[in-house]
């Protein structure tokens, strides 16, 4: 199945002079139900293109387990079918959960001083990937939670819960059984929230929102980190 080109040749706008740039939410959402108005669609595309990393909290109180781990981020594009204006964001695609502690064998182990041997921590990934097609599309227009500081879209596939989250990533409580796509920007998700609110006002009728996820060629099964949370090894499936 062919899928759209996701490089920077799309005529992107990502600067403070753009009407779509917003450091915070721009007031209330205007909702109209006039059937004479055309209902537009906001499209969110999560690509397979890796663009960086971000440190996420692990939410473990144990002094032995790293408080943060480094995870990859991917390119995400937001647009709508009226303005065709596009914005680029970074988003995580993997949800890692602590599995076990390992100890590397080395010279300290040879001398019987195992307590000095370097320790690594294995975090298992619960990935969410399209199963049959190169792109899978979901309608998320009816499921969202919005306040001044965060926006969360929720949808389900079979028995799995999925959340697209924008806000302060340090306040997000990760739960097993849920896959998370966490939007990362320089202002704790507020640029994305402002973008969505502005589009909703501009499109007048509350728009439909679709999420497209492009299948990756390689998916990390787990990551192995040192005590400081720095990724030492990525295990792929």
């Amino acid at each position: 199945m062919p899928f759209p080109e996701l490089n920077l040749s799309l005529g992107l706008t990502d600067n403070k002079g753009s009407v779509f740039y917003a450091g915070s939410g721009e007031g209330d959402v205007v909702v109209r139900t006039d059937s004479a108005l055309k209902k537009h669609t906001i499209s969110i595309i999560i690509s397979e293109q890796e663009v960086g990393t971000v440190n996420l909290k692990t939410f473990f109180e144990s002094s032995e387990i790293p408080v943060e781990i480094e995870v990859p981020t991917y390119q995400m594009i937001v647009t709508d079918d009226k303005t065709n204006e596009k914005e680029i964001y970074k988003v995580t695609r993997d949800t890692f959960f602590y599995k076990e502690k390992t100890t590397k064998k080395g010279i300290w182990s040879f001398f019987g001083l195992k307590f000095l041997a370097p320790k690594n921590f294995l975090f298992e990934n619960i990935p969410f990937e399209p199963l049959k097609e190169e792109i899978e599309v979901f309608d998320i227009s009816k499921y969202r939670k919005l306040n001044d500081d965060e926006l969360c879209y929720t949808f389900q596939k079979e028995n799995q819960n999925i959340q697209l989250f924008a806000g302060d990533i340090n306040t997000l409580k990760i739960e097993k059984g849920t896959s998370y796509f966490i939007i990362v920007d320089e202002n704790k998700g507020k640029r994305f929230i402002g973008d969505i609110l502005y589009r909703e006002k501009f499109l007048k009728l509350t728009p439909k929102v679709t999420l497209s996820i492009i299948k990756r060629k390689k998916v990390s099964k787990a990551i192995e980190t040192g005590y400081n949370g720095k990724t030492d090894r990525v295990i792929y499936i």
Side-chain angles (χ1 to χ4, degrees), residues 215-229:
K215 190 173 184 177
R216 291 175 288 183
K217 293 181 174 62
K218 291 196 306 181
V219 179
S220 55
K221 180 180 179 181
I223 60 173
E224 197 172 38
T225 74
Y227 182 76
N228 62 0

Side-chain angles (χ1 to χ4, degrees), residues 12-235:
L12 305 172
T13 299
D14 190 12
N15 60 73
K16 295 182 180 179
S18 169
V19 293
F20 281 90
Y21 182 89
S24 60
E26 298 287 337
D28 297 327
V29 179
V30 176
V31 178
R32 300 181 183 178
T33 56
D34 186 351
S35 60
L37 296 174
K38 178 182 177 181
K39 188 169 184 177
H40 292 279
T41 299
I42 294 175
S43 300
I44 302 172
I45 302 172
I46 296 179
S47 82
E48 82 290 15
Q49 182 178 336
E50 193 171 332
V51 291
T53 61
V54 65
N55 289 331
L56 297 181
K57 282 192 173 182
T58 60
F59 300 103
F60 284 98
E61 296 180 358
S62 169
S63 60
E64 290 189 347
I65 302 173
V67 296
E68 291 184 338
I69 57 173
E70 183 184 61
V71 302
T73 58
Y74 295 80
Q75 185 185 84
M76 185 182 82
I77 296 176
V78 179
T79 187
D80 65 78
D81 60 0
K82 183 175 183 179
T83 69
N84 293 317
E85 184 136 3
K86 299 176 176 67
E87 291 287 344
I88 290 289
Y89 299 89
K90 296 178 182 179
V91 65
T92 66
R93 289 190 57 152
D94 298 298
T95 309
F96 293 93
F97 293 95
Y98 174 68
K99 185 176 183 181
E100 62 186 12
K101 178 176 66 176
T102 61
T103 302
K104 288 185 176 181
K105 294 181 179 180
I107 187 171
W108 299 114
S109 297
F110 178 79
F111 288 112
L113 302 173
K114 293 185 179 180
F115 65 93
L116 292 176
K119 294 180 175 60
N120 270 24
F121 300 85
L122 189 68
F123 288 82
E124 187 176 25
N125 182 25
I126 301 178
F128 181 82
E129 294 290 321
L131 295 177
K132 298 179 181 179
E133 304 290 340
E134 292 296 323
I135 293 184
E136 198 157 3
V137 181
F138 303 91
D139 179 2
I140 56 176
S141 59
K142 296 180 181 179
Y143 308 96
R144 84 168 189 185
K145 175 184 176 183
L146 172 67
N147 59 38
D148 290 339
D149 299 316
E150 61 183 53
L151 171 62
C152 180
Y153 289 108
T154 301
F155 58 106
Q156 290 183 321
K157 180 184 178 183
E158 298 174 352
N159 295 323
Q160 191 171 22
N161 295 317
I162 301 98
Q163 286 191 13
L164 177 65
F165 175 85
D168 185 350
I169 59 178
N170 295 318
T171 65
L172 179 62
K173 302 298 183 183
I174 302 293
E175 298 179 358
K176 271 203 168 182
T178 300
S179 293
Y180 295 87
F181 299 97
I182 302 173
I183 297 165
V184 179
D185 69 30
E186 64 279 5
N187 200 15
K188 297 182 179 180
K190 290 184 178 180
R191 185 169 73 88
F192 173 79
I193 296 171
D195 185 359
I196 294 296
L197 291 178
Y198 185 88
R199 290 178 194 270
E200 288 182 338
K201 283 184 177 182
F202 193 80
L203 301 178
K204 301 191 184 301
L205 186 66
T206 302
K208 176 180 177 181
V209 180
T210 62
L211 174 67
S212 300
I213 303 174
I214 297 179
K215 190 173 184 177
R216 291 175 288 183
K217 293 181 174 62
K218 291 196 306 181
V219 179
S220 55
K221 180 180 179 181
I223 60 173
E224 197 172 38
T225 74
Y227 182 76
N228 62 0
K230 186 74 175 178
T231 299
D232 292 334
R233 185 165 67 103
V234 181
I235 304 167

